[in-house]
Amino acid sequence: MKKTAIRIDSWHGIRFSSIVFLTITFLLSHVSIAQVQTNWPQTTTSADGTTISYEIYGEGDLSLVFVHGWSCDSRYWQKQVPTFSKKYKVVLVDLAGHGHSGTIRETYSMEAFGEDVRAVVEKTGSNNVILIGHSMGGTVIAQAALLLPQKVKGLIAVDDYHNIEYPLSQEEFDAMVTPLRNDFQSGARQFVQQMFHPNADTISREWILADMSAAPPHVALSAMEELMSHSIDGSAAELFEEIPIPIMAVNGDLWPIDVEANRRHMESFEAIVVEGGDHFLMVNRSTPFNAALTKAINAIKKKRAEK
């Protein structure tokens, strides 16, 4: 009788395991391809053949394409996905040399980054687009707007466009980049440390410092040199004279914004300041940032409707 009982118990265990396996198989087989694609990185190819990684969340006629900043990646937008994917198609981009994208370039220019964004916009079939760029991403989305004049309806910078006329000197640039060249990890930590609000969340601050200082030095230095060269030669401001669309900024309150300087080169410019926000306000002040970004999106939509 004991042997029979053991065999019966074993059979029940096998039967239960089989039911669980079949149930999981059934559920997986009924998850649509679209759902899987929505939550898994996809790739496309930029103009120079570099593989560009991106993610899509949500659906909507309007696409919000989020572009990260210097030595960051698409993870820095994770606190925006749940809010904005309810109403819009949210696209997160990893620029070349960042995140999961390729690193075959010798020079990481703003123009080439703009091509990365164009490749993603075209691959995702997005025809009604607002580009959102953090820090260096503010220049990248301007470059992308030049390449996509029929698709891009507005630009939103995140802690950028403080003064696009700022006359950066070669001496200032050298002082900024020399510590990065000498010891990238230490120099990057020192460089990024000054971008936080004094009361910024310690956990997010330490994660950002560690993450950005671990960026590939050749990518980071090339991108920094290319970005700053536009401020040195004055082309940073001239770029916006070729972009006839509404432009907004959602910034922290660490640094002032010269609205009039920006308006001399932009069709229209408005800024929203998040109190207590620093350079990484989308990470460590996500709730007020999301509210401010919603206002910026609605302001661009209103301006477009009035045209």
Side-chain angles (χ1 to χ4, degrees):
M1 293 298 294
K2 286 184 178 179
K3 289 184 180 180
T4 303
I6 291 172
R7 282 198 297 269
I8 291 173
D9 289 344
S10 299
W11 181 83
H12 277 297
I14 294 170
R15 183 167 180 261
F16 177 76
S17 298
S18 299
I19 292 171
V20 171
F21 174 77
L22 290 172
T23 301
I24 292 173
T25 302
F26 174 83
L27 290 173
L28 289 175
S29 68
H30 285 71
V31 175
S32 71
I33 293 176
Q35 285 176 306
V36 173
Q37 289 177 337
T38 297
N39 295 285
W40 192 258
Q42 301 175 58
T43 61
T44 188
T45 304
S46 195
D48 65 353
T50 303
T51 299
I52 303 301
S53 176
Y54 66 93
E55 300 169 36
I56 304 177
Y57 300 87
E59 297 178 349
D61 176 64
L62 178 62
S63 297
L64 305 181
V65 178
F66 289 80
V67 179
H68 60 79
W70 180 79
S71 294
C72 302
D73 57 40
S74 58
R75 293 172 300 164
Y76 286 68
W77 300 114
Q78 287 303 316
K79 291 186 177 182
Q80 283 62 65
V81 171
T83 297
F84 294 99
S85 63
K86 294 175 183 177
K87 187 175 181 180
Y88 305 110
K89 180 196 289 186
V90 169
V91 182
L92 310 183
V93 181
D94 278 341
L95 298 173
H98 300 75
H100 297 290
S101 290
T103 58
I104 65 172
R105 288 180 188 153
E106 292 185 8
T107 301
Y108 289 83
S109 69
M110 301 304 105
E111 293 84 356
F113 286 147
E115 291 284 2
D116 300 345
V117 176
R118 171 162 73 169
V120 171
V121 168
E122 292 180 341
K123 182 66 178 291
T124 58
S126 302
N127 296 310
N128 185 27
V129 178
I130 292 178
L131 298 178
I132 301 165
H134 172 236
S135 191
M136 180 188 78
T139 299
V140 174
I141 62 174
Q143 292 288 350
L146 289 177
L147 301 171
L148 298 161
Q150 303 305 315
K151 298 177 183 290
V152 177
K153 311 305 181 184
L155 303 181
I156 301 175
V158 177
D159 212 56
D160 196 17
Y161 303 167
H162 297 95
N163 178 2
I164 61 173
E165 288 183 344
Y166 184 80
L168 183 70
S169 69
Q170 187 64 49
E171 291 73 24
E172 286 177 300
F173 172 71
D174 289 340
M176 182 187 305
V177 78
T178 296
L180 299 173
R181 290 172 176 157
N182 292 340
D183 181 344
F184 180 79
Q185 187 171 29
S186 175
R189 286 187 69 93
Q190 293 175 20
F191 179 65
V192 177
Q193 181 68 56
Q194 61 191 320
M195 301 178 184
F196 292 96
H197 200 280
N199 62 359
D201 177 71
T202 302
I203 295 175
S204 64
R205 179 174 62 226
E206 288 305 313
W207 175 77
I208 290 169
L209 287 169
D211 185 60
M212 293 181 68
S213 63
H218 71 288
V219 176
L221 286 169
S222 178
M224 176 71 76
E225 291 166 359
E226 291 291 320
L227 173 65
M228 295 306 175
S229 68
H230 292 287
S231 293
I232 293 173
D233 66 18
S235 61
E238 295 171 1
L239 170 64
F240 292 91
E241 295 172 2
E242 304 177 55
I243 307 173
I245 56 177
I247 298 176
M248 300 283 297
V250 178
N251 292 358
D253 59 4
L254 277 183
W255 302 297
I257 304 168
D258 192 331
V259 174
E260 294 308 315
N262 292 344
R263 286 177 177 168
R264 282 193 284 269
H265 305 275
M266 298 175 176
E267 179 183 85
S268 68
F269 175 76
E270 301 292 340
I272 301 172
V273 177
V274 175
E275 184 177 352
D278 55 31
H279 194 57
F280 302 98
L281 68 168
M282 70 284 192
V283 175
N284 51 39
R285 291 283 285 158
S286 60
T287 299
F289 170 77
N290 287 349
L293 183 57
T294 298
K295 291 180 182 178
I297 293 167
N298 289 337
I300 288 177
K301 290 165 63 177
K302 182 178 179 181
K303 285 181 178 293
R304 297 299 300 182
E306 291 171 351
K307 278 197 169 185

